[in-house]
Amino acid sequence: MAVVESSVPRCAGASLRARLAVLVVCVPASGALGQEEGAARLRGRLAAEREAALAERLGFLDVGTDEHAGEALAARVGERLSALLALWRGDDPVAVERFLAADFEGDAPLPDLTPARVRGAFRLRAAPARSERPDGPPLGSAEWAAALGAWARRVGAGPPAPPKVKVIAVEADEAGARITARVSAHGTTPAGRRQHDAVWVCEWTAPPDGGEPLLRRLRVETLDEVTGPPTVLFADHARSALGTAPAVDARLGRGVEAWGSRLDAFLEVSALGHQGVAVGDVDGDGLEDVYLPQPGGLPNLLFLRRPDGSTVEGGRAAGVDFLDLSTSALLVDLDGDTDADLALAMGDRLVLLANDGEGVFTPRAVHDAPFAMSLAAADPDGDGDLDLYVCCYVSPYADETAPVPYHDANNGEANLLLENEGGFAFRDATAERGLDANNTRFSFAAAWEDYDGDGDCDLYVANDFGRNNLYRNEGGRFTDVAASAGVEDLSAGMGVTWADFDRDGHMDLYVSNMYSSAGRRVAYQRQFRPGGDEQTRAGLRRHARGNSLFRNRGDGTFEDVTLAAGAEMGRWAWGALFVDLDNDGWQDLFVPNGFVTNHRSDDL
């Protein structure tokens, strides 16, 4: 047998695993097959096995193929509602009426709206709750077709795209089906760009001849209108800011899926893209730079800002263009010399690098940190230097483990508190400080904040697949008070951010979770987990509700004001942030969201 080796390029930090990565492929030394043909055949076989395994795992996801026949029903009537709303301009009322039952009765798609509230660049209006609206006569099919066109004209000229539909609940009945759907539309008016978000309850009847379902009843439960400035407030300047050098464009111009199909699996190219970003002034010029960790096999990138707003990629010169799978980074002063050092989570280890003050880094320490996902720095012991909290996440998507039970798992990897002893010496103080309590969950993110106003840093940890932690700092030792404080938030925790959103002097809490239309549909059906206990069903339903906003009462406890504030629907949310986007003195919320869809757009 012959061995074909392909070594990866060398870069800074020779002791790191990136230097040791080699692709080893065994092929026949002689015979009919040449080395290239043998390697290609091996790659083809491995790819076929991977595709077969994936098909076996995903086969049950096709709607209607299992006991949840309601999913097929939801898909059918959802498509029917989308087809109806494609006619919302009102140009063909006869075509609209063909979607409606002969005895159709419905609310106007555009109820009367409250007076406008002006907040910065935005004007906000809403329909009163349906229970608070006067009961007027329902519209018949011809009236409703006309009202549909009036709604489209209110949303804006354009012509705007048809509204988008997400079915969030479905229930079959003898006559047909009843669904609850989120309906979203946007357009442009002389007053500015306009967006409508509504919740509709629709009853559909199935004709006896087996034809398409017809809409029999329609209730508009809620409708919110937001009118913004005519031009967008934010524009994508990634190209101008990060540059268009061929090397940079080649790395960032492809997504995770493309790199995953080109790089060897040994290099750990995560299919989920959990890489993170760090911002800080690396070279001491007063401008904040951007460090961008990358999937395994791709060099990490360091974008150094210039006074004209452009950047130069300087990862290699700075000694930080590592090829290891990198999952999180912090640019913080770890040694007290006022410049930004680098803490970098690389899969199963934490690497600490010292900045020489001019933007060149030297590795100083390495700590074991299995499945390190994210980092948070603070001075919880009040000794004047920064300690590090490491969140460890065992990915069920990569077959590393399965959360048990799914909605309240406690079989993850333990998080770490690394205390700074000076000179880049850090020690594991997790147990000593009481942070080993409830510490085997699937932790995604953590954030330090003095929520109780006693002068020291407390810690909130957002955990996937279950309950979160709120560790109160009691003189240097921590106690998990999440349950008594009312912020366990049993859900799919993915991010956390603190701010005083109501300006009462107390720090409030927002937790990013998962808003899943499919989860809401399935978990609320009567046939869901028959014979199961109600507590478990409630926990699984809570998983799909979405994000959580907790108002600090100032007495050590929090009030869940999520629904009253309209803050739950952030879609499949990740690391949300409180930030005053319009400079009006009030903290807004920015919520990034999304998930892996590959070539399908209808799987979430």
Side-chain angles (χ1 to χ4, degrees):
M1 302 291 285
V3 176
V4 179
E5 296 188 356
S6 176
S7 63
V8 300
R10 291 184 56 85
C11 48
S15 64
L16 301 177
R17 189 179 53 192
R19 312 300 176 274
L20 306 177
V22 283
L23 172 64
V24 180
V25 180
C26 294
V27 296
S30 59
L33 289 178
Q35 291 183 348
E36 285 190 18
E37 184 179 353
R41 180 166 295 186
L42 175 60
R43 288 194 298 269
R45 179 173 62 80
L46 294 175
E49 291 175 355
R50 185 168 58 248
E51 288 296 323
L54 184 63
E56 181 180 356
R57 292 186 62 191
L58 298 184
F60 72 96
L61 292 180
D62 289 334
V63 298
T65 60
D66 58 13
E67 69 272 19
H68 295 294
E71 282 295 273
L73 180 62
R76 185 183 182 196
V77 293
E79 291 169 1
R80 187 72 170 156
L81 182 58
S82 295
L84 166 59
L85 293 181
L87 303 169
W88 77 317
R89 298 295 299 171
D91 300 328
D92 190 353
V94 174
V96 171
E97 292 182 51
R98 293 195 186 106
F99 285 82
L100 309 179
D103 59 347
F104 171 82
E105 293 182 346
D107 294 343
L110 181 63
D112 292 335
L113 302 177
T114 58
R117 292 176 293 138
V118 179
R119 294 295 304 274
F122 297 94
R123 296 173 69 248
L124 313 175
R125 302 182 71 187
R130 196 173 190 282
S131 60
E132 300 173 3
R133 287 181 241 151
D135 285 330
L139 303 183
S141 56
E143 298 170 301
W144 194 83
L148 190 64
W151 178 39
R153 290 188 292 276
R154 172 72 188 180
V155 172
K164 294 184 178 180
V165 173
K166 273 282 192 180
V167 178
I168 59 176
V170 61
E171 181 179 352
D173 57 32
E174 294 181 358
R178 171 189 168 106
I179 67 167
T180 302
R182 299 190 67 94
V183 180
S184 302
H186 60 87
T188 303
T189 75
R193 298 162 68 90
R194 181 165 289 164
Q195 177 178 320
H196 278 193
D197 292 290
V199 175
W200 289 6
V201 176
C202 306
E203 296 180 16
W204 296 81
T205 182
D209 60 2
E212 293 288 354
L214 298 174
L215 183 58
R216 182 178 69 238
R217 300 284 185 275
L218 170 67
R219 293 205 320 264
V220 178
E221 295 293 322
T222 65
L223 186 141
D224 296 314
E225 177 185 273
V226 179
T227 305
T231 57
V232 296
L233 294 179
F234 294 89
D236 184 356
H237 286 273
R239 291 277 181 177
S240 60
L242 302 182
T244 56
V248 174
D249 194 51
R251 297 175 205 169
L252 299 183
R254 294 188 175 110
V256 173
E257 180 188 2
W259 287 118
S261 65
R262 288 167 170 78
L263 297 175
D264 192 89
F266 175 80
L267 299 174
E268 299 179 280
V269 183
S270 169
L272 299 179
H274 292 159
Q275 264 59 69
V277 61
V279 177
D281 181 6
V282 166
D283 49 9
D285 62 356
L287 300 173
E288 291 193 319
D289 310 303
V290 178
Y291 186 62
L292 191 62
Q294 292 288 283
L298 298 176
N300 294 348
L301 302 171
L302 175 62
F303 294 100
L304 302 171
R305 282 187 61 203
R306 295 296 177 250
D308 63 359
S310 65
T311 64
V312 175
E313 202 290 303
R316 177 176 289 273
V320 293
D321 59 334
F322 302 114
L323 292 170
D324 304 68
L325 167 66
S326 300
T327 51
S328 182
L330 285 179
L331 288 169
V332 291
D333 183 8
L334 296 174
D335 54 4
D337 62 357
T338 74
D339 56 32
D341 305 305
L342 178 64
L344 180 59
M346 295 202 292
D348 59 358
R349 67 195 65 193
L350 178 67
V351 181
L352 306 177
L353 302 100
N355 188 341
D356 69 352
E358 297 182 358
V360 177
F361 292 84
T362 302
R364 293 291 302 276
V366 178
H367 289 269
D368 288 336
F371 301 101
M373 176 56 65
S374 66
L375 308 172
D379 183 14
D381 53 5
D383 64 354
D385 52 30
L386 291 177
D387 306 316
L388 294 171
Y389 189 78
V390 185
C391 287
C392 298
Y393 182 84
V394 190
S395 175
Y397 307 106
D399 289 333
E400 287 157 355
T401 194
V404 180
Y406 169 85
H407 68 292
D408 195 9
N410 208 8
N411 62 317
E413 194 71 35
N415 301 337
L416 303 171
L417 175 67
L418 298 178
E419 283 197 353
N420 192 338
E421 297 188 315
F424 280 89
F426 285 75
R427 68 183 184 89
D428 185 348
T430 312
E432 177 186 336
R433 298 299 184 182
L435 289 171
D436 56 338
N438 303 323
N439 189 35
T440 52
R441 295 173 178 170
F442 290 71
S443 299
F444 247 128
W448 298 94
E449 183 56 66
D450 180 12
Y451 82 93
D452 53 3
D454 64 354
D456 54 29
C457 292
D458 309 297
L459 179 67
Y460 192 87
V461 183
N463 301 310
D464 203 355
F465 307 109
R467 304 168 199 270
N468 298 335
N469 310 104
L470 175 59
Y471 293 107
R472 185 177 63 207
N473 191 339
E474 300 172 338
R477 185 168 177 83
F478 293 85
T479 301
D480 187 0
V481 298
S484 59
V487 292
E488 275 193 315
D489 198 36
L490 193 150
S491 191
M494 302 188 194
V496 53
T497 182
W498 294 92
D500 181 10
F501 83 89
D502 55 359
R503 303 204 302 199
D504 66 351
H506 305 298
M507 297 302 290
D508 309 302
L509 177 67
Y510 190 71
V511 184
S512 303
N513 295 310
M514 172 186 67
Y515 180 95
S516 170
S517 300
R520 292 170 64 97
R521 288 194 307 267
V522 171
Y524 280 91
Q525 293 180 37
R526 284 193 295 266
Q527 68 268 34
F528 177 67
R529 294 182 67 91
D533 65 279
E534 186 54 36
Q535 184 177 0
T536 298
R537 281 196 295 269
L540 290 167
R541 289 166 181 163
R542 175 62 189 87
H543 258 259
R545 190 192 79 173
N547 299 346
S548 299
L549 177 62
F550 297 102
R551 187 183 70 84
N552 190 336
R553 294 189 177 106
D555 61 359
T557 67
F558 293 76
E559 176 188 4
D560 187 343
V561 296
T562 309
L563 300 181
E568 79 277 11
M569 215 293 276
R571 304 188 186 276
W572 198 302
W574 297 96
L577 283 176
F578 275 115
V579 57
D580 183 4
L581 292 170
D582 50 5
N583 296 318
D584 65 352
W586 292 87
Q587 292 292 314
D588 308 303
L589 278 167
F590 176 74
V591 184
N593 55 62
F595 198 64
V596 176
T597 59
N598 287 315
H599 299 294
R600 292 179 58 184
S601 60
D602 61 342
D603 59 340
L604 293 177

